[in-house]
């Protein structure tokens, strides 16, 4: 029961912080600042930031309860104020989870006071970056010491941020494509421009994820445990994550090289209905795959890596 709560808390936090960072960042480079369709497409951005802030704050609260229950050995003790304060103020995990909770609440305050604009998106993305990076303070990335430890920590932070860029952009793109109707030519053009804007960023994100993933795996598995890793639960979950990641790469390539050019051709012929439908299906499947990755990562974080065995 406690282990399930830990996984759930991590999942909610990962989803919230990824959206809080990646979605407003996507709005900064993917949405037009003005012109036809700008106001229309930015109308729902505040709602997405509110959802991200709520998930981040709620997930952080669940994580604090779950960690307290694990340390005390009983789920009922997680509601003990003294135990909660001890975990929140006396552990490195507590510092990181409180940081995420504050970032989530600050995002809600920012979304309540600022209209959809570059100011809102920059503030939200900054809060999301802090919230995402804080996972590395209490995870496996914070285990090392000296120069190697700093290198490992930096790789972990970069991996988290790159994942946030991709997953947050997916949430924003899905919101855009679900809200576009074929008769709204300006909105369809804005969607096409957003897809084009993400294509270059996506290549950098994939490169960063692959590089930092290899670095993290080297530290977590270790050269002496490479063969043995396949026989552990940790190794099996990692392999499942890599398979889903490969599916996401395939869908991202389909979107970039097939569906986005198809949407551009459909715009020229004034009949984007079938192109929009295909893009919706692809983004829905890619988003489901992204959620699956978060579930697997949430589970992976509760397992001991081979290097620690």
């Amino acid at each position: 029961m406690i282990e399930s709560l830990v996984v759930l808390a991590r999942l909610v936090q990962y989803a919230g912080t990824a959206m809080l960072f990646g979605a407003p960042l996507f709005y900064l480079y993917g949405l037009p600042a003005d012109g036809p369709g700008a106001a229309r497409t930015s109308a729902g951005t505040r709602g997405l930031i509110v959802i991200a802030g709520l998930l981040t704050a709620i997930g952080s609260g669940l994580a604090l309860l779950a960690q307290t229950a694990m340390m005390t050995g009983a789920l009922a003790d997680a509601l003990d104020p003294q135990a909660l304060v001890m975990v929140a103020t006396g552990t490195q995990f507590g510092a990181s989870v409180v940081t995420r909770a504050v970032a989530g609440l600050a995002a809600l305050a920012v979304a309540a006071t600022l209209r959809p604009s570059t100011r809102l998106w920059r503030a939200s993305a900054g809060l999301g970056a802090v919230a995402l990076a804080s996972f590395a303070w209490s995870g496996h990335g914070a285990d090392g010491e000296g120069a190697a430890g700093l290198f490992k920590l930096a790789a972990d932070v970069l991996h988290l941020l790159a994942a946030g860029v991709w997953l947050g952009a997916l949430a924003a793109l899905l919101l855009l494509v679900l809200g576009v109707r074929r008769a709204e030519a300006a909105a369809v053009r804005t969607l096409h421009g957003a897809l084009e804007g993400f294509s270059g960023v996506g290549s950098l994100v994939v490169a960063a994820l692959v590089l930092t993933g290899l670095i993290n795996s080297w530290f977590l598995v270790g050269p002496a445990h490479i063969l043995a890793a396949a026989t552990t639960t940790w190794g099996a979950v990692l392999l499942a994550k890599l398979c889903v990641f490969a599916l996401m790469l395939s869908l991202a390539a389909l979107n970039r090289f097939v569906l986005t050019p198809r949407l551009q051709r459909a715009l020229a012929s004034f009949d984007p209905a079938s192109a929009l439908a295909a893009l919706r299906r692809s983004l829905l499947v890619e988003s489901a795959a992204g959620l699956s990755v978060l579930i697997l990562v949430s589970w992976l974080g509760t397992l001991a890596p081979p290097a620690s065995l």
Side-chain angles (χ1 to χ4, degrees), residues 80-109:
D80 178 26
Q82 185 175 357
L84 285 170
V85 171
M86 184 273 292
V87 174
T89 60
T91 66
Q92 191 165 318
F93 172 86
S96 67
V97 81
V98 168
T99 297
R100 288 191 290 279
V102 170
L105 293 174
L108 293 176

Side-chain angles (χ1 to χ4, degrees), residues 255-300:
N255 292 341
R256 178 175 180 179
F257 298 111
V258 178
L259 298 183
T260 300
R262 178 181 172 185
L263 183 62
Q264 185 176 26
R265 292 192 299 271
L267 272 170
S269 62
F270 303 101
D271 186 22
S274 62
L276 281 172
L279 190 59
R280 286 192 188 102
R281 288 193 297 269
S282 178
L283 286 173
L284 281 169
V285 175
E286 188 178 350
S287 298
L291 179 60
S292 299
V293 166
L294 290 183
I295 293 172
L296 291 169
V297 170
S298 300
W299 183 14
L300 200 63

